[in-house]
Amino acid sequence: MSRMRHSRCTGPMTRHYTPIKTNDKNIKEMYNFEFKNPVKLIFGKGTIARIAEEIPARSKVMLTFGGGSVKRNGVYEQVMKALAGRDVVEFWGIEPNPKYETLVEAISLARREGVDFLLAVGGGSVIDGTKFIAAAIPYEGEAWDIITRHDAVTKAVPLATVLTLPATGSEMNNGAVISRRSTHEKFPFHSDLVYPRFSVLDPCVTFSLPKKMVAAGLADTFVHVMEQYMTYPVDARVMDRWAEGLLQTVMEISPAAMSDEPDYDTMANFMLCATMGLNGFIAMGVPQDWATHMIGHELTALHEITHGVTLAIVLPQLLRVMRDDKHDKLLQYAERVLGITDGDDESRIDDAIRRTEEYFHSLGIATRLSDYGVGQNTVDEIVRRFTERGAVWGERNDVTPDKVRMILEKAL
Ligand code: NZQ
Ligand code: ZN
């Protein structure tokens, strides 16, 4: 990655989810950026009934689902009622951390049926899988190219979503993360062609979520914001305060969201935090990290650990290893988000990291690799993979394989 030039009038530029990395520690100004998010949000009680008016009447629609939660909580029934009389085909079985091997079956079905609109009904996995299907239907080569070649997606079938799990932000962004069962790999891809046309967010659908998924969704939302906030200051005051507002809101609603009977307002706020956490808004003009995510993806690829849980394992240790790089933002977070004002700088930072890890514990998430039966072999394998791929992460490209080893060994 080349070193970026920076002066009063020429700065590095961020685009949503494709941050420019820089080793220049002197950059203190807001980055240039472009921003466009075309997703129409339809939010609130009873909104699933609205989907028919948003989908072109003559479309042949493929509905995509996960393992069946939507049949148990009434979401499937609402979708089918809304689409009564429309030409639809159903694809079931997109699993958590959607697998390429499953998605190729959906691609074949869609091509056979002449599908020209996709409606994902589910969590991030169903939505991500559907983005991949949308890009793969018109693609002539092997669909896996979409993951490995940045220029592969030149066309996509339009898609929309009915979200059932607040967490990933996939309902309002252009990214997807796809796994390959045969090789235990998991990689993201991005294309503006896979932004959903619209996303329906009815917070009532979340009442059937198991607590573990609520916890993972809260952790995922929290870490998405941290990836775009916990870097170094560039005087992006609006972005910082939006991010801090999201972090505070997520922490504030967590006890109620984790209670036996969460109320509507809590889940509505949770849903909005999750969507706003990864739709590009808080990425405007700021550096981004994403190292926690890239390390977390490997833990899921190798051990099927739930995405949000992997982040709760990695983030506290990443903050410990990278604390000097993130010094100024850690202090800002300590004071503005956690209200820590006593003690010298280093003890405030210690407190802030400890409180972050305790927040994950408050969600019932264990944060040691040993809690998941993961040991040194996995650390070695992840470091080997990153070394072989020449992968470096973080807002300054300085989360090298050696740093990844330090982070993961601290989490053992
Ligand atoms: O499959 P079904 O039966 O529907 O059950 C699901 C699944 O077992 C269940 N569930 C979903 N909504 C429910 C429900 N159960 C009861 N009631 C409901 N309302 O929850 C389980 C997990 O679902 P999943 O979709 O896997 O969870 P999540 O939304 O957390 O998605 C995780 C995937 O998204 C990726 C992750 O890496 C992971 O593969 N991410 C996608 C991102 C993006 N596109 O921007 C960013 C994220 O950082 C993340 O990487
Ligand atoms: Zn995530």
Side-chain angles (χ1 to χ4, degrees), residues 222-223 225-227 229-231 233 240 243-251 315-316 319 326-341 348-360:
F222 185 87
V223 178
V225 182
M226 289 291 265
E227 299 273 26
Y229 168 78
M230 185 50 69
T231 56
D240 278 2
E244 287 156 359
L246 288 170
L247 293 171
Q248 284 180 317
T249 308
V250 173
M251 285 179 143
L315 180 70
L319 295 179
K326 294 179 183 294
H327 177 273
D328 294 354
K329 270 309 197 48
L330 275 165
L331 277 179
Q332 184 178 323
Y333 165 71
E335 180 173 344
R336 292 210 212 159
V337 178
L338 303 174
I340 299 169
T341 50
R348 288 181 200 194
I349 290 174
D350 285 340
D351 274 4
I353 299 174
R354 185 180 44 76
R355 294 256 302 268
T356 306
E357 192 163 15
E358 283 170 5
Y359 166 63
F360 296 132

Side-chain angles (χ1 to χ4, degrees), residues 235-293:
D235 203 16
R237 299 180 200 198
V238 179
M239 291 308 122
D240 278 2
R241 289 198 166 91
W242 275 4
E244 287 156 359
L246 288 170
L247 293 171
Q248 284 180 317
T249 308
V250 173
M251 285 179 143
E252 183 178 278
I253 61 172
S254 288
M258 291 296 294
S259 68
D260 289 337
E261 289 198 13
D263 60 290
Y264 177 82
D265 290 330
T266 294
M267 297 316 265
N269 278 294
F270 175 18
M271 227 174 193
L272 208 46
C273 282
T275 303
M276 293 299 142
L278 192 47
N279 62 358
F281 277 35
I282 60 168
M284 286 186 238
V286 297
Q288 301 178 51
D289 181 341
W290 297 108
T292 298
H293 268 70

Side-chain angles (χ1 to χ4, degrees), residues 12 62 70 81 88 105 139-140 267 283 301 329 342 364 373 408:
M62 183 158 91
V70 293
K81 192 172 163 204
V88 301
E105 290 175 31
Y139 186 70
E140 282 169 12
M267 297 316 265
K329 270 309 197 48
D342 288 341
L408 288 172

